[in-house]
Amino acid sequence: MLSALIFDLDGTLVDTNAAHVEAWVSALARHGYRFHPDRIAPEIGKGGDNLVPDVLGKEAEARDGEALREASKAEYLRLAEGRRFRVFDGAAELLDELRRRGIRTALATSSGDEHLDATFGSAGVDLRERVDVVVGKSDVARSKPYPDAVLAAVEKLGLSPAECAMVGDTPYDALSAKRAGVIGLGVLSSGLGLEARDLVQAGARRVWRDVAHLRAELDDALRAASPGPARLTVGALETLMREALAAAEEGMAAGEAPIGCAIADGAGRVLARAYNRMNATQDKTAHAEVEAFRALAGRVPLDARDLVMASTLEPCVMCTGAAMESAVDTIVYALQAPADSGTSRVRPPESPESQMPRIVGGVLAAESRALFERWMEAHRGEPQAAYVEQLLARTPDVPADPFDAARATSDALAERAGR
């Protein structure tokens, strides 16, 4: 069950993308860089910190980046003063309906306060009054497609990423949501010539024409974003991860590397638990996740879309792909596997039978790392030791509790809701 929806602003709630294109074209020309609007349009949705180096390169960024961003800002403010920006039909009504349903809302934008004041002043409607949280330029170090703005919104909301979804109009919104562990929902109101496939390939789970269309299909959208009845609070994710850690302990006792997996349904009931069995089977595909899926066979409907998979180590490409093919809703992992990073090396699926899971990492990572340290003490020189040694070397600084800020708030909200 979803607790919050995070919204992009430009092109999603307010029709401003064309003005941003115009502002950038003008700012670039003022500094001697002449571009057709068609070249700038695909960059809209990023902040200026990413747009300038992506268009002009690092040398021009170092020389002119700050001046170009200031010129673009000034041009946008001038355009806003002389025009009436349109709030998309259904935007205010959608935010009001979400509040009525008890679903919290946030704005996550690359714009600073002056931009926001100018946008809403031009529109004649200040949508900041209709949301619970606003994240802007001053709250983040990096703009989209980095996940900083989405993560800041999740933190301000006091929730787990797995309790949230994000609505945006560009691939950069979908990418930032995916990287933050938040489900991406798309709208085709950017005015930039984008198609649904562009957003799906970046990680959006579903796409609508605009926010009015989304509001008309709100029940369907909320089910798509979070199909299970349970709220995936930090506490709920940790409970499932402890099942995976217990499986990893069993695997270590059986002579395997300490990697465990647990799969639960959307209500939080654990359906299968397994550990790596590569040594016992001499099968390189016998990863904990694959073993768990094998144990699950025949026990859930083929069209189930609410499964939650917890792994003590970031899944590889094979296991992430298996989760996508199985339409898993959420992948939760403890310790990152930087050398492989399977969850970031896969392309989002487009088949209607599959779906892009939300991927939340860092849950009880220290506990997982401690298991590998114990294993390493007893298994130096064995075939898998080189991998474990590399893993420990590349994950030396595990945050003590990256979800501490969210735990009390998300669990309290779930308790208030009677779930």
Side-chain angles (χ1 to χ4, degrees):
M1 180 174 288
L2 206 66
S3 296
L5 264 181
I6 302 165
F7 288 86
D8 170 59
L9 177 64
D10 296 294
T12 300
L13 298 175
V14 186
D15 190 8
T16 51
N17 281 344
H20 282 292
V21 172
E22 187 174 341
W24 275 110
V25 169
S26 176
L28 288 161
R30 197 179 305 172
H31 285 78
Y33 303 104
R34 302 201 175 274
F35 288 94
H36 192 276
D38 287 351
R39 172 62 188 90
I40 302 303
E43 306 295 331
I44 298 301
K46 303 174 181 177
D49 58 323
N50 291 315
L51 186 149
V52 173
D54 286 352
V55 172
L56 299 178
K58 293 182 180 179
E59 185 177 334
E61 157 65 24
R63 183 178 60 248
D64 296 325
E66 285 304 317
L68 284 166
R69 284 183 279 276
E70 285 300 316
S72 175
K73 173 184 171 182
E75 184 63 17
Y76 180 82
L77 296 178
R78 184 189 69 78
L79 292 171
E81 188 174 352
R83 296 181 185 177
R84 182 67 178 264
F85 293 144
R86 177 172 66 97
V87 174
F88 287 117
D89 292 343
E93 293 82 0
L94 174 58
L95 295 173
D96 292 345
E97 174 62 15
L98 291 167
R99 177 168 289 179
R100 187 188 70 78
R101 294 184 182 215
I103 296 172
R104 305 185 74 203
T105 53
L107 287 181
T109 175
S110 301
S111 296
D113 289 339
E114 280 190 271
H115 270 88
L116 292 174
D117 290 342
T119 297
F120 292 128
S122 170
V125 177
D126 194 339
L127 296 179
R128 289 173 292 190
E129 299 170 356
R130 286 180 154 89
V131 300
D132 299 296
V133 164
V134 177
V135 170
K137 181 180 179 181
S138 62
D139 295 301
V140 299
R142 303 169 300 179
S143 69
K144 302 167 192 172
Y146 289 100
D148 301 30
V150 185
L151 288 171
V154 169
E155 184 175 357
K156 281 192 175 186
L157 288 163
L159 297 172
S160 152
E163 295 178 86
C164 303
M166 179 182 181
V167 181
D169 65 304
T170 72
Y172 310 118
D173 296 313
L175 279 168
S176 63
K178 176 176 176 285
R179 291 166 176 171
V182 167
I183 288 297
L185 304 176
V187 288
L188 296 174
S189 49
S190 69
L192 303 173
L194 294 168
E195 299 178 356
R197 189 167 184 244
D198 298 316
L199 303 186
V200 170
Q201 286 182 331
R205 180 171 285 184
R206 291 280 300 280
V207 180
W208 288 264
R209 289 191 304 273
D210 49 34
V211 287
H213 186 202
L214 176 61
R215 178 175 178 256
E217 297 187 358
L218 184 57
D219 289 335
D220 182 47
L222 296 177
R223 278 193 300 271
S226 192
R231 293 184 189 272
L232 299 179
T233 64
V234 174
L237 299 181
E238 289 181 345
T239 296
L240 183 59
M241 186 59 71
R242 292 197 187 282
E243 293 282 343
L245 287 164
E249 290 260 21
E250 294 169 11
M252 188 159 57
E256 303 284 350
I259 305 170
C261 175
I263 299 177
D265 64 14
R269 295 183 292 263
V270 176
L271 304 176
R273 200 171 88 167
Y275 54 80
N276 264 31
R277 298 185 68 245
M278 290 171 58
N279 290 337
T281 63
Q282 293 297 293
D283 176 2
K284 285 190 174 183
T285 70
H287 291 197
E289 299 88 343
V290 172
E291 293 295 300
F293 279 122
R294 287 170 178 160
L296 198 62
R299 298 171 56 196
V300 295
L302 287 175
D303 61 353
R305 306 184 75 83
D306 63 349
L307 298 178
V308 182
M309 184 180 86
S311 299
T312 60
L313 184 66
E314 179 184 3
C316 68
V317 169
M318 175 182 69
C319 296
T320 304
M324 289 180 177
E325 289 297 314
S326 302
V328 164
D329 173 58
T330 301
I331 294 173
V332 188
Y333 69 83
L335 189 64
Q336 187 182 17
D340 298 322
S341 192
T343 61
S344 65
R345 289 170 55 205
V346 294
R347 290 184 58 183
E350 296 183 52
S351 165
E353 287 80 22
S354 306
Q355 70 181 6
M356 182 68 211
R358 60 167 63 80
I359 300 170
V360 182
V363 177
L364 301 184
E367 284 86 338
S368 177
R369 192 177 196 281
L371 288 181
F372 280 105
E373 290 172 342
R374 281 171 47 198
W375 184 92
M376 193 65 188
E377 289 175 3
H379 295 275
R380 293 186 187 278
E382 295 187 6
Q384 289 179 297
Y387 173 78
V388 175
E389 185 174 13
Q390 179 196 59
L391 176 67
L392 294 174
R394 296 187 65 169
T395 57
D397 301 315
V398 176
D401 191 348
F403 300 104
D404 185 58
R407 182 176 289 98
T409 303
S410 63
D411 289 347
L413 287 171
E415 184 177 346
R416 263 206 310 272
R419 301 182 186 277

